[in-house]
Amino acid sequence: MALTMHDGLTETEARERLTRDGPNELPVSRPRSVLRLLGDVVAEPMFMLLVACGAIYLALGDRNEALMLLGFVFVVMGITFVQQRRTERSLEALRDLSSPQALVLRDCKMRKVAGRELVCGDIVLLAEGDRVPADLALIEASNLSVDESMLTGESFPVGKQATVAGNEIKDATPAQGEGRVFSGTLVTQGTAHGRVVATGERSALGRIGQSLAGLGRENTPIQNETRRVVKRVAIVGLVLAAGLAAAYWISTGDWLHGLLAGLTLAMAILPEELPVVLTLFLGLGAWRLAREKVLARSIPTVELLGATTVLCVDKTGTLTANRMAVRRLWTEVDAYDSATAGSEPLEEALHGILEFAVLASHRRAFDPMETAIVEAGKQLLAGTEHLHGDWTLVDDYPLSREMLAMSRVWQSPDQQARMIAAKGAPEAIVDLCHMEKARQAAIAAQVATMAGDGLRVLGVARATFAAGELPAGQHDFDFEFLGLIALEDPVRPDVPQAIAQCRAAGIRVVMITGDHPATAVSIARQAGLTADGQIMTGAQLTALNDDDLAKRLADTHVFCRVQPEQKLRLVQAFRARGDVVAMTGDGVNDAPALKAAHIGVAMGARGTDVAREAAALVLLNDDFSSLVTAVRYGRRVFANLRKAIVFVVAVHVPIVGLSILPVLFGWPMLLMPVHILFLQLIIDPACSVVFEAEPLEADAMSVPPRHPDARLFDKTVLIRGLWQGVGLLALLLGVYATARSLSNSDDVARAMTFSVLVLSNLALIFANRFWNQSTLLARGGSNHAFVWIAVATVTVLGSILGIPVLSGLFSFATPSPVMLLAGVGIAVVSLLWFEAVKWGLRAQLKPQPGPVA
């Protein structure tokens, strides 16, 4: 059954059917609802502590304190809810981006649509590596094999062909499916066109109850590490809180105030913001990457990107623009160069090579090279007898690992014999033509000349075959060599700069391609890669054992004539050296290498579905500079997470100290639950908004990658946070002692101490925005979130100190203007202390770089 451009639906018909039948999707893990988010917030330990404190205040008769605490409860719940909802929206956006695409025929045009938008009646075009997006009845199929193991358990691909029965059976199963392909199965070979007959839950996959996994639900190593730390700190905090409550009760006999003191300490110690911060950082990091056209299919990838030491990249479409154009035609008697030919017609002697190059390509080409050849044929052979739209395709011999050439068998309406057109790697075409050595050498020299100019070179041949049963292999045809066709794919303009950035960041870029060595070296030099060292071909790679390969890796930056399965060996070899490897790929056979790499990177525009599913990252625009952007974002996420952790450690030290020391020394309570809550309103937004929005430091892409085993809670983080926190605690104790002696008022001393603590927290945020330069002199860009939080904090603090009703709720007495001015000065001193700690520890706590590439 022939496919015509009128077989597809119109956009209007597709929209109507989508409304009628619903989207083409199975039940997936749903994002958390608003009610579930609120339930999770209510179950937070901080919420429980607040309710307990409110109950104690009611028991003590402090109704105003209890109502104020309940008011704060709703504020804290609101902040937590907004943070988690923001993360959910980010993950929902990633789910939408990760929806598989389908190539369909609508309004007589081929276009890509989201798989969920497919409807019954759509015509879908399939090629090798595609994941079948819905149940299809085959209309045309060429050498089609499909992996149906996810439905049947059979590990061997199943051959398919278009049949009348395939279009008639309703609710077909794989056992009845010779003329059907089913949703979720994988095209392992060939091409096909099919009409959608079932979508979503009505497909074979939907009927047996399969479901898709949700995106972004896995726990990352850093999340697991954080949960362990939070659990240990919580246990220690509860023990200390119980001990403090018991000590207060024993010393004063007031068990209710003792319980209140214990709960205050528990609130001070519990780092409940850390899990929220991690989820938000990683979720928003993935969302920000998606805005840069990089889809993180695996959230742990975001935290590992900054440790990448080796980028293994393909040439075509990654380093180059993937806009192929025929540049030269060459036969043994004539030649053509589009750069010099102008509008001159193509010489008759060259018509044959272009004619059979077109015949050796698909009429509806998916591959950029075939598209360029077909377009050149339409342009240069227009009005001649060398374009054969009326010829019928009988069969084809696809490209294979054993034979880097493909042949297509055609039947002319006016000839009984069949015509065979072949194209492929020049050495493979020469091998098919069985020519003498001298002629082979002349062709090889011409190939080297073209490849040396950075051109992609293909050989073209033709044969005739008497009608009858076709042979099993291409070698059984008597091929005649026609010539060479050279295609040009220019290096992307931004690639040299991106590679220079990688080199400055200590990241090694390695090119792995199937091209001729001369072509690979030429493109490598244009791209700015180190091409003066050794190059390695696939044949040489096969001949080396693992030890010899390891010795060659350090000096080899270009690997050419590499087979897809050899990419896996290269990835494993780089990993064995201790490198953190990011690997790009787009084909079915690239999937093992993508899985083996620390970070598999698939091409979103030209990659196959199976490659995208094996990868952790998808470059939606197939652009190498996007990969460099991803590395930059990975470094940013990890660096900003560490800054947030230092802030959390430093800010909790004085809070814990001011909760314990008054009880131990018999002072009045300095911090009460309401004070802890107010500080929490600063800490949570600072961690989740200010530090997350902080741009990457200026020199972050000029230092080697971090070690892959680097942890968030390492010596650098803990010592920096403890030193900053201990210094601030000492300052606050001095402020309390001085204010108490000058005013003879515990409420004034408490107000002064708390005010300096709040202002110093803002100074702590400000100081930790930059680690490699003084924040006072930094020029890394403004952080609007910090400005808004600082203004809001100072405004609210001023209201509490200036409005008697609010001061009473906080157990404050307003200090004199001189004391307040002195408090501002002490906050400035704390900022200088934070800067001194930063610079004093910079050399001693320099992070260890990753392995040298």
Side-chain angles (χ1 to χ4, degrees), residues 32-347:
R32 290 184 292 176
S33 65
V34 172
L35 290 177
R36 183 180 169 189
L37 281 175
L38 287 174
D40 291 344
V41 171
V42 170
E44 289 287 332
M46 183 63 74
F47 177 83
M48 303 297 184
L49 292 173
L50 290 172
V51 171
C53 290
I56 293 173
Y57 274 123
L58 285 175
L60 292 171
D62 293 336
R63 184 179 177 185
N64 290 337
E65 292 276 3
L67 291 176
M68 183 178 60
L69 270 182
L70 291 176
F72 271 123
V73 164
F74 287 107
V75 173
V76 172
M77 285 176 59
I79 291 176
T80 306
F81 175 78
V82 169
Q83 290 171 341
Q84 296 193 5
R85 184 62 187 144
R86 189 180 179 194
T87 304
E88 285 292 325
R89 283 199 298 266
S90 300
L91 293 178
E92 288 171 25
L94 293 180
R95 289 188 190 99
D96 291 340
L97 280 173
S98 63
S99 174
Q101 300 285 302
L103 185 63
V104 301
L105 197 63
R106 286 187 183 171
D107 288 328
C108 301
K109 295 179 182 178
M110 288 188 295
R111 53 167 299 202
K112 279 194 172 184
V113 300
R116 68 186 304 276
E117 296 177 7
L118 284 181
V119 296
C120 288
D122 262 327
I123 301 296
V124 178
L125 286 71
L126 298 174
E128 179 179 318
D130 285 349
R131 184 72 67 180
V132 179
D135 286 4
L136 308 178
L138 293 176
I139 299 171
E140 289 184 2
S142 175
N143 291 320
L144 185 66
S145 294
V146 179
D147 179 359
E148 295 182 339
S149 57
M150 69 180 301
L151 291 176
T152 65
E154 280 291 333
S155 58
F156 297 103
V158 179
K160 298 284 184 175
Q161 58 185 351
T163 64
V164 175
N167 285 272
E168 294 176 349
I169 299 176
K170 185 178 180 181
D171 294 339
T173 64
Q176 304 166 304
E178 183 185 15
R180 290 276 185 95
V181 288
F182 299 96
S183 177
T185 58
L186 177 68
V187 179
T188 59
Q189 180 179 314
T191 59
H193 306 139
R195 189 184 304 276
V196 175
V197 292
T199 60
E201 296 179 349
R202 294 171 295 278
S203 66
L205 185 62
R207 290 199 302 273
I208 63 174
Q210 297 289 339
S211 64
L212 298 176
L215 176 65
R217 291 300 183 196
E218 66 268 36
N219 290 332
T220 72
I222 286 181
Q223 284 175 322
N224 292 331
E225 177 191 357
T226 302
R227 286 193 174 92
R228 287 194 300 269
V229 170
V230 170
K231 184 178 179 180
R232 291 169 185 169
V233 172
I235 291 173
V236 172
L238 290 175
V239 171
L240 288 176
L244 186 68
Y248 194 98
W249 183 16
I250 293 171
S251 62
T252 65
D254 187 347
W255 69 272
L256 273 178
H257 277 93
L259 185 57
L260 188 63
L263 290 174
T264 302
L265 178 60
M267 292 170 60
I269 291 178
L270 185 65
E272 54 86 28
E273 60 275 349
L274 287 183
V276 176
V277 167
L278 276 173
T279 303
L280 191 76
F281 267 60
L282 296 176
L284 287 180
W287 176 72
R288 292 184 189 278
L289 276 177
R291 294 176 65 186
E292 299 289 341
K293 303 299 183 182
V294 180
L295 174 61
R297 298 188 70 254
S298 170
I299 297 298
T301 304
V302 178
E303 64 187 54
L304 187 59
L305 276 167
T308 304
T309 60
V310 173
L311 296 179
C312 297
V313 299
D314 191 15
K315 176 186 76 68
T316 303
T318 307
L319 297 180
T320 61
N322 200 30
R323 291 195 301 268
M324 289 282 188
V326 172
R327 172 67 185 275
R328 296 179 192 170
L329 299 172
W330 179 87
T331 68
E332 290 165 293
V333 297
D334 207 345
Y336 165 86
D337 190 328
S338 63
T340 58
S343 59
E344 293 293 324
L346 187 67
E347 294 291 337

Side-chain angles (χ1 to χ4, degrees), residues 582-650:
M583 172 80 193
T584 68
D586 57 6
V588 176
N589 294 325
D590 291 333
L594 294 175
K595 276 286 188 185
H598 292 95
I599 304 169
V601 183
M603 303 297 108
R606 63 186 170 88
T608 58
D609 287 344
V610 69
R612 285 191 287 269
E613 291 169 10
L617 284 182
V618 179
L619 301 185
L620 299 178
N621 59 359
D622 294 1
D623 193 346
F624 176 76
S625 62
S626 296
L627 187 54
V628 180
T629 299
V631 172
R632 185 182 297 110
Y633 271 77
R635 293 192 176 192
R636 169 184 169 176
V637 167
F638 192 81
N640 288 348
L641 268 173
R642 287 167 64 84
K643 293 174 184 177
I645 302 300
V646 166
F647 171 73
V648 169
V649 171

Side-chain angles (χ1 to χ4, degrees), residues 43 149 157 224 245 257 271 296 403 411 502 519 609 672 679 685 734 742 804 819:
S149 57
N224 292 331
H257 277 93
M403 173 55 65
Q411 182 69 62
C502 288
T519 304
D609 287 344
M672 301 173 185
L679 293 170
L742 291 176
M819 295 182 72

